[in-house]
Amino acid sequence: MKYSVNDKGYYGEFGGAFIPEMMYRNIEELRENYLKILSDPSFISEFKNLLKNYVGRPSPLYYAARLSEHFRTRIFLKREDLNHTGAHKINNTVGQILIAKRLGKTRIIAETGAGQHGVATATVCALMGLKCIVYMGKTDVERQEPNVLRMKMLGAEVIPVLSGNMTLKDATNEAIRDWINNPVDTHYIIGSVVGPHPYPDLVARLQSVISEEVQAQLLEQTGNPDPDYIIACVGGGSNAAGAFYHYLDREKVKLVAVEAAGKGVESGESAATMVLGHPGIIHGSRTMLMQDDDGQILEPYSVSAGLDYPGIGPMHSNLFKTGRAIFKYATDDEALDAAFLLTRLEGIVPALESAHALAALGMIRFAEKDVVVVNVSGRGDKDMAAYIKYMNTHNTIAL
Amino acid sequence: MNRIDQLFQIKQHEILSVYFTAGHPELNSAPVIIKALAEAGVDMIEIGMPFSDPMADGPVIQQSSSKALKNGMSLNLLFEQLKDIRSKVRVPLLLMGYLNPVLQYGMERFCQSCARVGIDGIILPDLPLEVYENEYKPFFIKAGLHNIFLISPQTSEARLQALDNAGSGFLYFVSSSSTTGMKNGFTGEQTAYFEKISRHNLKNHSLIGFGISNHDTFATVCRYASGAIIGSAFVKMLSEVEMTGVVEKIYKFVEPLKGP
């Protein structure tokens, strides 16, 4: 497995566990146990059962005929938006709550940007009867209100974070601080393939159900498990990690990761880490990072709260560095246009995050016979305010 | 000889180390604060290198870091501010901060700059033991710098031994599982932990930090270790005063700590 994590927790030069001693025991406990738990037959059976009967997996792989006609190629949509709670995030939280229980933890903390991971965590905590605290930047609390209310309804305590830009990065800092202050009874369910080892690998493995299903579904629908392209959006990169996972070493499958360019990569308001960043350390991991010359982390910007992160998972940094994945970026407007295109052609309202992946369809010259899989990582219910605002300012949607 | 080693040769008890963030409350306040602390009788000074995302720090130090960065603090500027510091003070000086700004500055260059201005030790809480040993140790040794490791109540016996073997200068025992400035006063559980620290036969001296804010807490931890580190309480005091009266305030802060 050329692109997997090595035994020290590195993907090439990226990864590792750059953590204060106060977190060491927790991380070590997880590192020592996660592979054992993931391969335990009782875990596998409980996880698969919940994915099937609670999450609603397998999620469909849908041939989008009208979208295909529009782009003159063959486009399949992996419908993670149809999962319970509305995004791929639930795959990871179901897995991690089972791990937390096996580690004897009684209190769960999480960070969230768009609120999808927070909702998914609150959901599994309700399911398992565990206490749940979700840190969310105050900016995101305001722009993702429906998700905040859902978390509260599910019994979670949502703590608005007032430091920094009051977005995902700051919520992550606060969750880390909580874990340092509560090292014994608490498990931190990280929502993406970021953080210290083993989190990037743990989350990627739990999300790899996406690519596992795509292989089987494509084989059934086209006679070949391998597409020509797989396209996914990346903030931290968990849906992309899940969509790429079983294809990492199948090098003829082109992996396309789409970052959020915000108002444009040159605008000073962007979250396109690969274009704007260079190697650094954030949240315990060595990875590509938006930072100034003094190593201070820059505030990212994206209309989509889930992609508003100055770093990226170390696996993706390695895919970028080695050239294994193609990195694209889409602006807020390009993502919004793509969301409306999908809505009008296929009757699917995607999450703003997923809209970035869809925007890449217009950036690549596909052959008519190409098979293109786009991971629709979540649904757009939570983003209605942004979509309505866009409709009101753009009277005609060009199709 | 490294000044930290010199200090422990002449004094093994009630060592008082004080932390502040460079660039806070004002951009150029570090040299003034260092001089005042040394004159007030502090044994060792930790100069914080501000970072935008200090994950092991509580609100007080976090806010001092944001303020320092807003003021325009950087590592380049800090070394510039410290270039004549050794003509003013003799106490050991340490730099404490997070790894990313140091890596962007360049670890080897950082160690050289530390040696040039007379820094004696470095505390980087997110620099892992293995990474230090495999990549950076020679730079520290060449520059005559001690690398100070943190120990938490969760640290296992085996790891404590490994950190004691790899570290030098002293070991920084964190009094409770917490970020900085979170707790006041000690619980029975903490006292039991301090007793455990005092019974260890360690190569390095021990200082206890986190949760020490006044003479009582200082005197308590000094019963178990060579001394203590005060951070948030001092930074909080600095946040509340004007720079014009700061020297007097620092005297007033330090004197009661050391007790009658």
Side-chain angles (χ1 to χ4, degrees):
Chain A
M1 295 287 278
K2 195 170 156 193
Y3 298 99
S4 300
V5 76
N6 71 15
D7 60 350
K8 303 269 187 232
Y10 283 87
Y11 300 85
E13 65 180 271
F14 301 106
F18 296 84
I19 49 167
E21 183 63 24
M22 294 83 90
M23 275 172 83
Y24 186 87
R25 185 94 172 233
N26 279 323
I27 294 293
E28 191 65 3
E29 183 183 31
L30 194 59
R31 192 186 65 77
E32 282 175 353
N33 288 293
Y34 84 110
L35 291 176
K36 270 185 259 173
I37 294 173
L38 291 181
S39 60
D40 176 357
S42 79
F43 171 87
I44 294 170
S45 116
E46 206 176 349
F47 183 49
K48 284 195 166 166
N49 178 49
L50 282 171
L51 287 183
K52 183 179 172 198
N53 299 311
Y54 187 71
V55 175
R57 302 203 71 93
S59 67
L61 183 72
Y62 163 68
Y63 177 67
R66 296 191 68 206
L67 196 67
S68 295
E69 191 184 333
H70 182 87
F71 287 107
R72 298 181 184 287
T73 189
R74 292 191 285 165
I75 299 170
F76 290 81
L77 303 177
K78 181 59 174 164
R79 299 291 307 276
E80 292 299 299
D81 60 313
L82 293 178
N83 292 338
H84 178 44
T85 74
H88 70 291
K89 296 288 187 185
I90 190 86
N91 306 327
N92 172 45
T93 60
V94 163
Q96 282 204 47
I97 202 87
L98 296 177
I99 290 173
K101 276 179 66 184
R102 279 163 172 75
L103 294 175
K105 307 293 179 178
T106 54
R107 181 176 176 272
I108 300 296
I109 54 171
E111 84 298 330
T112 196
Q116 291 305 95
H117 174 59
V119 167
T121 305
T123 299
V124 296
C125 286
L127 179 68
M128 299 293 171
L130 297 184
K131 189 175 165 58
C132 180
I133 293 110
V134 179
Y135 290 91
M136 187 170 188
K138 189 165 165 282
T139 310
D140 293 336
V141 168
E142 283 159 10
R143 62 178 164 172
Q144 302 285 346
E145 197 196 4
N147 274 342
V148 175
L149 298 174
R150 280 169 84 191
M151 284 184 268
K152 287 183 177 170
M153 185 173 169
L154 289 159
E157 184 186 347
V158 180
I159 301 182
V161 174
L162 301 171
S163 57
N165 218 20
M166 303 186 277
T167 59
L168 181 55
K169 164 179 84 81
D170 313 295
T172 308
N173 288 333
E174 225 49 60
I176 289 172
R177 289 190 188 108
D178 181 306
W179 211 18
I180 288 173
N181 285 299
N182 297 284
V184 180
D185 61 347
T186 299
H187 176 70
Y188 178 12
I189 301 191
I190 293 187
S192 195
V193 285
V194 300
H197 178 67
Y199 276 105
D201 185 48
L202 168 61
V203 178
R205 284 171 189 264
L206 293 173
Q207 290 292 0
S208 71
V209 63
I210 301 173
S211 60
E212 191 182 358
E213 286 176 7
V214 170
Q215 281 187 320
Q217 290 165 324
L218 268 186
L219 180 65
E220 190 188 319
Q221 293 182 39
T222 69
N224 182 354
D226 294 341
D228 295 285
Y229 292 86
I230 300 183
I231 305 176
C233 66
V234 279
S238 69
N239 89 85
F244 294 169
Y245 198 86
H246 286 82
Y247 294 109
L248 288 171
D249 289 321
R250 300 175 80 85
E251 307 227 1
K252 66 178 183 178
V253 178
K254 296 182 193 72
L255 309 175
V256 182
V258 189
E259 292 193 292
K263 295 180 180 169
V265 286
E266 306 295 338
S267 69
E269 292 181 89
S270 179
T273 305
M274 294 310 189
V275 187
L276 298 169
H278 50 276
I281 288 166
I282 184 170
H283 299 141
S285 176
R286 184 169 197 276
T287 193
M288 294 293 282
L289 173 60
M290 287 168 54
Q291 54 186 319
D292 68 15
D293 293 342
D294 295 320
Q296 307 297 340
I297 295 166
L298 295 173
E299 300 292 353
Y301 162 81
S302 165
V303 68
S304 100
L307 304 181
D308 199 350
Y309 187 67
I312 191 167
M315 179 182 112
H316 293 297
S317 291
N318 187 47
L319 295 178
F320 172 76
K321 183 84 190 279
T322 55
R324 173 67 188 94
I326 303 159
F327 279 78
K328 300 269 181 198
Y329 51 85
T331 63
D332 291 351
D333 284 349
E334 286 167 337
L336 283 155
D337 283 344
F340 276 90
L341 185 69
L342 183 73
T343 308
R344 299 295 169 88
L345 288 179
E346 298 288 352
I348 296 168
V349 179
L352 265 171
E353 289 75 16
S354 319
H356 287 74
L358 292 157
L361 288 170
M363 302 173 188
I364 298 167
R365 188 177 286 266
F366 301 108
E368 281 192 35
K369 62 170 182 39
D370 280 347
V371 170
V372 180
V373 174
V374 183
N375 197 35
V376 181
S377 56
R379 59 177 171 252
D381 306 32
K382 69 185 174 59
D383 298 310
M384 285 315 294
Y387 287 146
I388 291 164
K389 190 175 162 204
Y390 191 77
M391 266 201 295
N392 291 339
T393 51
H394 296 66
N395 290 325
T396 50
I397 308 296
L399 288 181
Chain B
M1 189 188 207
N2 184 293
R3 292 172 200 86
I4 298 171
D5 298 331
Q6 278 174 353
L7 172 65
F8 284 111
Q9 273 189 1
I10 55 171
K11 188 171 177 182
Q12 281 91 41
H13 304 290
E14 299 191 346
I15 286 175
L16 172 61
S17 181
V18 173
Y19 167 96
F20 73 97
T21 307
H24 171 266
E26 288 179 10
L27 181 59
N28 298 309
S29 45
V32 180
I33 294 170
I34 293 167
K35 193 158 172 281
L37 281 171
E39 285 169 2
V42 162
D43 299 302
M44 189 153 73
I45 300 169
E46 292 171 22
I47 306 158
M49 304 176 280
F51 181 48
S52 53
D53 295 76
M55 62 179 169
D57 284 304
V60 171
I61 292 179
Q62 195 188 343
Q63 278 157 22
S64 73
S65 290
S66 326
K67 176 88 189 295
L69 293 172
K70 267 191 203 123
N71 288 342
M73 199 63 213
S74 68
L75 264 182
N76 280 314
L77 183 60
L78 179 58
F79 284 122
E80 182 61 28
Q81 289 179 353
L82 296 179
K83 72 171 193 253
D84 298 322
I85 202 70
R86 281 297 167 207
S87 64
K88 300 190 182 85
V89 297
R90 299 175 58 84
V91 295
L93 296 175
L94 292 92
L95 292 188
M96 178 167 186
Y98 292 83
L99 191 52
N100 197 51
V102 172
L103 289 185
Q104 303 312 317
Y105 188 88
M107 188 60 90
E108 185 170 17
R109 181 173 161 233
F110 174 76
C111 291
Q112 288 163 351
S113 295
C114 286
R116 195 175 63 243
V117 301
I119 298 295
D120 304 287
I122 305 297
I123 309 173
L124 294 169
D126 58 345
L127 171 58
L129 168 63
E130 302 72 22
V131 176
Y132 168 68
E133 296 230 289
N134 296 335
E135 296 180 38
Y136 302 131
K137 199 171 183 177
F139 303 147
F140 280 67
I141 291 171
K142 197 168 170 206
L145 290 169
H146 285 314
N147 182 31
I148 313 298
F149 285 113
L150 265 62
I151 309 291
S152 100
Q154 305 297 317
T155 304
S156 68
E157 286 294 312
R159 186 163 166 83
L160 173 58
Q161 290 303 330
L163 291 165
D164 186 38
N165 286 332
S168 56
F170 63 92
L171 291 175
Y172 187 146
F173 281 83
V174 172
S175 69
S176 65
S177 296
S178 70
T179 45
T180 55
M182 296 306 282
K183 312 253 164 92
N184 268 318
F186 299 119
T187 61
E189 197 183 333
Q190 282 174 284
T191 319
Y193 164 63
F194 297 156
E195 270 172 18
K196 218 171 99 187
I197 297 171
S198 68
R199 283 198 307 271
H200 275 294
N201 191 14
L202 297 168
K203 179 188 92 176
N204 286 292
H205 294 275
S206 317
L207 296 186
I208 297 177
F210 289 34
I212 297 136
S213 58
N214 52 34
H215 174 67
D216 281 353
T217 41
F218 178 66
T220 303
V221 299
C222 284
R223 291 210 292 274
Y224 306 100
S226 303
I229 300 155
I230 295 186
S232 293
F234 182 68
V235 171
K236 186 163 180 285
M237 185 279 285
L238 290 178
S239 312
E240 290 161 358
V241 300
E242 295 292 322
M243 269 310 278
T244 44
V246 79
V247 173
E248 194 191 332
K249 291 283 184 187
I250 289 173
Y251 276 80
K252 275 195 179 152
F253 182 89
V254 173
E255 277 163 13
L257 282 173
K258 298 166 70 92

